[in-house]
């Protein structure tokens, strides 16, 4: 079994989900009392969020790059960034290490292709939804990406940063999220990417007719594939 290096803390809520999912999947595959070999570098999300707000992406890349290098030195065989948004600096982080970095969008593309999705809705932080580092990677795989309107983007971003990253799940916020999903479905989305690793805390498959592509679960499944292959 290979050792997984997880850059976590962005937020700690989703890092808990990653840890639980990866261990559950390993145990399901191997049985007995097997669990995953995981090294976690959990950063202070406040520092990363301030870098985002100030457009200091190089600074955040250095923080995470050094953390990834530490995981490599500690024995990690490959790296996961436990946050969609911070894949904006995935290339910079990769430059700090010699081991592979398993990109969350690549794992998501594979899942979309398995279900023959050619037009997908995307929810996430304003950085993930508005900028090209994530959308363009999916579009390059011949999958059209639909995003909410400006008001929807702002509201989803607010829910993520003010509520979900600290474990709050408000019914009113869920209703707003589902209304945004309905708008994407009416626009022609065949499925929906939960493109923030906290969104699965609020939206579940039973909440919508659209197939959900939970990037946290997809990323965890891909990591277990890598670890056990």
């Amino acid at each position: 079994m290979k050792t997984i290096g997880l850059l976590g803390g962005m937020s700690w809520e989703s890092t808990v989900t990653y840890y639980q999912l990866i261990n559950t999947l390993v145990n399901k595959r191997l049985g007995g009392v097997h669990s995953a070999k995981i090294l976690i570098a959990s950063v202070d999300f406040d520092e990363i969020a301030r870098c985002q707000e100030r457009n200091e992406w190089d600074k955040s890349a250095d923080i995470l790059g050094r953390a990834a290098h530490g995981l490599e030195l500690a024995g990690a065989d490959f790296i996961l960034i436990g946050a969609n948004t911070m894949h904006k600096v995935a290339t910079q982080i990769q430059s700090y290490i010699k081991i592979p970095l398993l990109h969350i969008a690549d794992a998501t593309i594979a899942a979309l292709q398995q279900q023959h999705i050619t037009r997908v809705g995307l929810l996430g932080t304003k950085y993930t939804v508005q900028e090209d580092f994530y959308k363009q990677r999916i579009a390059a795989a011949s999958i059209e990406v639909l995003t909410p309107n400006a008001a929807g983007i702002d509201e989803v971003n607010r829910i993520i940063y003010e509520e979900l990253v600290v474990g709050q799940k408000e019914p009113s916020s869920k209703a707003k999220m589902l209304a945004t999903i309905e708008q994407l479905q009416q626009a022609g989305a065949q499925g929906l990417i939960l493109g923030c690793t906290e969104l699965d805390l609020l939206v579940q498959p039973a909440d919508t007719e659209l197939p959900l592509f939970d990037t946290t679960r997809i990323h965890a499944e891909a990591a277990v594939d890598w670890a056990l292959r």
Side-chain angles (χ1 to χ4, degrees):
M1 187 192 307
K2 296 181 180 67
T3 299
I4 300 168
L6 175 61
L7 291 174
M10 303 171 287
S11 67
W12 62 266
E13 283 281 350
S14 63
T15 304
V16 170
T17 305
Y18 267 100
Y19 185 77
Q20 185 175 43
L21 278 172
I22 290 170
N23 279 289
T24 299
L25 290 165
V26 166
N27 183 260
K28 185 177 180 179
R29 301 254 192 114
L30 300 182
V33 293
H34 280 287
S35 56
K37 293 180 179 179
I38 308 179
L39 298 170
I40 301 175
S42 190
V43 301
D44 179 3
F45 189 44
D46 182 78
E47 187 175 14
I48 299 298
R50 289 179 184 274
C51 288
Q52 293 173 350
E53 293 169 2
R54 297 169 181 170
N55 203 34
E56 295 176 341
W57 295 99
D58 287 343
K59 181 178 178 180
S60 64
D62 182 61
I63 294 168
L64 296 177
R66 286 186 284 107
H69 182 59
L71 290 171
E72 181 179 27
L73 291 176
D77 293 300
F78 64 96
I79 296 292
L80 305 182
I81 305 170
N84 284 269
T85 298
M86 295 317 298
H87 280 75
K88 178 178 171 70
V89 293
T91 301
Q92 293 97 308
I93 293 170
Q94 180 68 79
S95 71
Y96 283 76
I97 55 178
K98 296 179 181 178
I99 56 177
L101 187 154
L102 179 55
H103 200 291
I104 197 168
D106 292 344
T108 302
I109 288 166
L112 292 167
Q113 290 173 333
Q114 286 176 359
Q115 295 197 32
H116 307 290
I117 299 294
T118 59
R119 182 180 295 140
V120 69
L122 173 63
L123 295 181
T125 69
K126 62 183 181 182
Y127 310 104
T128 300
V129 174
Q130 291 178 328
E131 299 187 29
D132 287 338
F133 70 92
Y134 195 93
K135 293 186 298 183
Q136 189 56 45
R137 202 174 184 105
I138 296 171
S142 299
I143 300 171
E144 182 181 356
V145 180
L146 304 177
T147 60
N149 58 29
I153 291 172
D154 287 343
E155 182 59 19
V156 172
N157 191 75
R158 183 198 67 77
I159 292 168
I160 292 167
Y161 282 99
E162 294 183 9
E163 298 174 12
L164 296 182
V165 299
V166 291
Q168 294 180 15
K169 293 172 278 188
E170 302 294 337
S172 60
S173 294
K174 181 169 184 173
K176 292 175 182 176
M177 192 81 71
L178 294 180
T180 300
I181 292 172
E182 176 64 24
Q183 291 170 3
L184 291 170
Q185 184 174 10
Q186 291 179 0
Q190 301 165 331
L192 182 80
I193 298 172
L194 297 180
C196 174
T197 51
E198 286 84 24
L199 286 177
D200 64 327
L201 299 173
L202 196 62
V203 180
Q204 300 297 319
D207 295 325
T208 175
E209 296 176 356
L210 284 178
L212 292 184
F213 294 85
D214 176 0
T215 54
T216 308
R217 174 171 286 278
I218 290 168
H219 208 197
E221 289 173 345
V224 172
D225 286 342
W226 273 47
L228 298 182
R229 70 182 183 182

